[in-house]
Amino acid sequence: MHIRPATAADDDAVWRIIGPVIAAGETYALPCDWSRADALAFWRAADHEVFVAEDDGTIVGTYYLHANHRGGGAHVANCGYVTAAEATGRGVAIAMCAHSLEIARARGFRAMQFNLVVSTNERAIRLWERCGFAVVGRLPGAFAHPRLGFVDALVMYRTL
């Protein structure tokens, strides 16, 4: 697997990956009805550094990296990751997480924080814990899950 900076030529593949996840509304606190343009504008925001994971020339995942906050919180990174549905279980997410930790260190970040990990996303929680993240907070009912109603969200953190 090769992880590299995304280019505009990757937008179709990135949309193919993030579009269904955003539309499902189960893991990201984003509008489910976003258009391709809306989703890509968010994913490729000016302060996001975007990467894609390729396996045998096919893009199978994408993530963005940015400062979690500005000013006094700018030393803590934040990321968003999505793996293509057909690549689930092939190590794409853990490879992207490892890559993001390395890039974050190289960019001078001192820690990484995930602000809203949906508590029902147990697979992601296990993955982030394997990558050294700890749950540092629980936000009761903070996520409106489309099938399950209001569920907790977790704040996860690790130093770099």
Side-chain angles (χ1 to χ4, degrees):
M1 186 171 320
H2 173 66
I3 300 174
R4 61 169 176 79
T7 68
D10 299 320
D11 282 356
D12 287 340
V14 169
W15 168 244
R16 177 183 56 80
I17 294 167
I18 69 172
V21 171
I22 292 171
E26 295 184 353
T27 56
Y28 276 87
L30 300 171
C32 297
D33 61 351
W34 261 2
S35 67
R36 177 185 191 276
D38 292 333
L40 288 173
F42 166 77
W43 205 258
R44 292 184 150 288
D47 66 335
H48 288 186
E49 189 172 1
V50 180
F51 296 86
V52 292
E54 290 181 314
D55 190 21
D56 290 328
T58 300
I59 294 176
V60 293
T62 182
Y63 81 88
Y64 64 80
L65 168 74
H66 70 121
N68 196 41
H69 292 288
R70 293 185 249 179
H75 62 284
V76 178
N78 174 266
C79 288
Y81 312 83
V82 181
T83 299
E86 69 275 9
T88 300
R90 293 181 13 205
V92 177
I94 201 160
M96 289 192 298
C97 186
H99 186 268
S100 70
L101 294 170
E102 185 178 305
I103 295 294
R105 275 189 212 97
R107 301 292 186 267
F109 290 106
R110 297 175 48 105
M112 188 175 289
Q113 179 173 315
F114 302 148
N115 300 317
L116 197 131
V117 180
V118 180
S119 64
T120 57
N121 192 354
E122 295 172 355
R123 185 177 188 146
I125 294 165
R126 284 192 307 270
L127 173 72
W128 305 145
E129 288 175 337
R130 282 199 330 256
C131 291
F133 288 83
V135 174
V136 296
R138 178 175 288 271
L139 309 170
F143 187 80
H145 194 283
R147 289 181 299 105
L148 304 174
F150 293 102
V151 298
D152 293 354
L154 308 176
V155 178
M156 299 186 78
Y157 185 88
R158 71 158 282 173
T159 58
L160 300 175

